Amino acid sequence: MASTADIKNGVVIKIDGQLWSVVEFQHVKPGKGGAFVRTKLKNVVTGKSVDKTYNAGTKIEIENVDRRDFTYLYTDGDSFVFMDQEDYDQINVPAATVGDAKNYMLENQQVQIALNNGNPLYIELPASVVLEVTYTEPGLQGDRSSAGTKPATLETGYEIQVPLFLESGTKVKVDTRTGDYLGRVND
């Protein structure tokens, strides 16, 4: 068991059987009364954020989370198959754990997977990825009724909004956190 003195950003703690990642923390020592620690926690599985305050010296349970590099290989039914880059072992990750990351993953793409006791918790993608636009309507000159954007389907099947001038076959940079178009990529 650890105490509140061991709390740092990125540490994963176990509360009531659920895993929470420390996003922010602050040790507070008021002039009157005992010291305490204010934390902002994010649920590792659901992404829900909560604020929690601990008295100084309170015992907490810190979980070991191993972040390792994997290569995305293929989809197998309702799961995704990844290969560990260190020992070449393959693991199946359920679609629920992969979540929205599937919208930005191509075969042989490098990702980071957080593991707890060999169980995958979540997938971390790079901040942006380069994907090809497979289909979009031709843009009409002077059409500004839609604020200069149109829907475009990426090679993963995900649909984003792009500027009117983009055509099918164009490579674009996409933000993996928001799904926003970041720019055109020239080969």
Side-chain angles (χ1 to χ4, degrees):
M1 290 292 273
S3 73
T4 54
D6 299 315
I7 291 179
K8 294 175 182 50
N9 287 346
V11 167
V12 176
I13 59 178
K14 191 174 199 175
I15 303 170
D16 299 330
Q18 293 187 331
L19 298 179
W20 298 81
S21 176
V22 176
V23 178
E24 294 175 12
F25 74 98
Q26 179 182 19
H27 289 278
V28 180
K29 177 126 177 67
K32 192 167 151 183
F36 58 92
V37 179
R38 260 191 215 118
T39 61
K40 182 173 188 175
L41 304 172
K42 181 178 177 186
N43 190 307
V44 170
V45 178
T46 64
K48 177 183 170 188
S49 292
V50 297
D51 294 324
K52 192 157 176 72
T53 303
Y54 293 98
N55 289 329
T58 303
K59 299 291 182 201
I60 57 171
E61 191 175 344
I62 293 184
E63 284 291 318
N64 181 24
V65 174
D66 186 20
R67 291 176 176 85
R68 300 205 329 234
D69 293 326
F70 283 81
T71 303
Y72 168 56
L73 297 178
Y74 58 90
T75 305
D76 183 20
D78 285 345
S79 64
F80 293 77
V81 180
F82 294 87
M83 179 180 65
D84 192 331
Q85 292 181 354
E86 290 178 19
D87 57 13
Y88 305 111
D89 282 345
Q90 292 184 9
I91 64 167
N92 286 14
V93 179
T97 303
V98 174
D100 290 339
K102 71 178 181 292
N103 298 328
Y104 312 104
M105 288 189 323
L106 292 174
E107 290 181 0
N108 298 321
Q109 182 174 346
Q110 309 303 314
V111 299
Q112 247 191 9
I113 299 180
L115 301 166
N116 174 256
N117 299 327
N119 297 322
L121 300 174
Y122 57 90
I123 292 178
E124 291 178 0
L125 292 174
S128 64
V129 292
V130 175
L131 297 169
E132 185 176 326
V133 174
T134 55
Y135 177 77
T136 186
E137 295 288 332
L140 299 174
Q141 187 65 29
D143 178 17
R144 295 286 181 255
S145 63
S146 60
T149 63
K150 61 183 178 180
T153 304
L154 302 174
E155 58 188 310
T156 59
Y158 188 61
E159 192 173 280
I160 64 168
Q161 292 293 318
V162 297
L164 291 172
F165 62 83
L166 282 183
E167 300 171 357
S168 295
T170 306
K171 290 195 183 265
V172 295
K173 189 181 244 187
V174 181
D175 188 326
T176 58
R177 297 162 295 196
T178 61
D180 292 339
Y181 163 84
L182 295 176
R184 189 168 38 174
V185 177
N186 297 327
D187 291 336

